[in-house]
Amino acid sequence: MSSCLVTGAGRGIGRAVAVALSTAGHSVALTARNAAELAGTAALCPGPTLAIPADITSADGIEGVFAQVEKEFGPVEILVANAGGASSSPLAKITDEDWQAMLDLNLTAPFRCVRRAVPAMVDGGYGRIVVIASVASKVGEPYIAAYTAAKHGVLGLVRSAAAELARTGVTVNAVCPGYVDTPMTDQSVAAIVAKTGRSAAEAREILARKQPTGKLITVEEVSAAVLYCVSNGAVTGQALNVDGGALQS
């Protein structure tokens, strides 16, 4: 089976993806900033894992992660660029630092990971790249301009990379979730509570109603979409919505 790297693997979507890939028989390298959370993910994986604490907003951090994976597992054949984060602020109050932080984490870090992974994938004639994007890659909402701009950008990266690599055996896709039941959504709930005075339950219901199904997306639903992208070599350059029907293709 293949050598995998999952970024942001300590919790949430990244943890679910790592466990799913491991269950499918792959060797899975895990990276995130929090070593304890990585250990928790590794404990859930039935197959070989490699936990590498790192800050992937650093170019040196990314190089170190790839070098360690290559030493232990060989070249990365499946890359899931999941690490990301969101911020919320009125447009006029977004600072340059806020803007840059969203670009660094949600756009530049995935770009650097893709750039680092591609040469070995092309040389081997096989590769699967999946970026965890967002419905914010396709539509704008108030108060998340920096996050939305970064996610629109990363979808452009996916589409261009897929076109460039189409004849090489390497596929590049994005999975675009709606609001997922993760710690990041918990932060959104807390922000709504702080700004509006609503209860946490009311705030969570607001986010659940963003999906026509009336429910938050589960991490398992997202990881299933990732495995689909990994398993089907005819699927490339796509942005799969996992959003309860919010955006119809």
Side-chain angles (χ1 to χ4, degrees), residues 58-77:
S58 157
D60 289 342
I62 289 173
E63 178 56 36
V65 168
F66 273 84
Q68 193 166 341
V69 177
E70 289 163 352
K71 180 180 178 182
E72 299 291 335
F73 288 162
V76 173
E77 296 168 296

Side-chain angles (χ1 to χ4, degrees), residues 54-67 108-109 112-113 116:
D55 176 6
I56 65 159
T57 61
S58 157
D60 289 342
I62 289 173
E63 178 56 36
V65 168
F66 273 84
T108 302
R112 286 171 170 161
C113 288
R116 181 61 173 77

Side-chain angles (χ1 to χ4, degrees), residues 168-182:
T168 68
V170 180
T171 65
V172 190
N173 291 289
V175 171
C176 299
Y179 282 92
V180 185
D181 193 2
T182 62

Side-chain angles (χ1 to χ4, degrees), residues 74-97:
V76 173
E77 296 168 296
I78 297 171
L79 168 66
V80 181
N82 164 73
S87 65
S88 176
S89 182
L91 182 62
K93 293 186 178 181
I94 298 172
T95 67
D96 286 354
E97 291 75 19

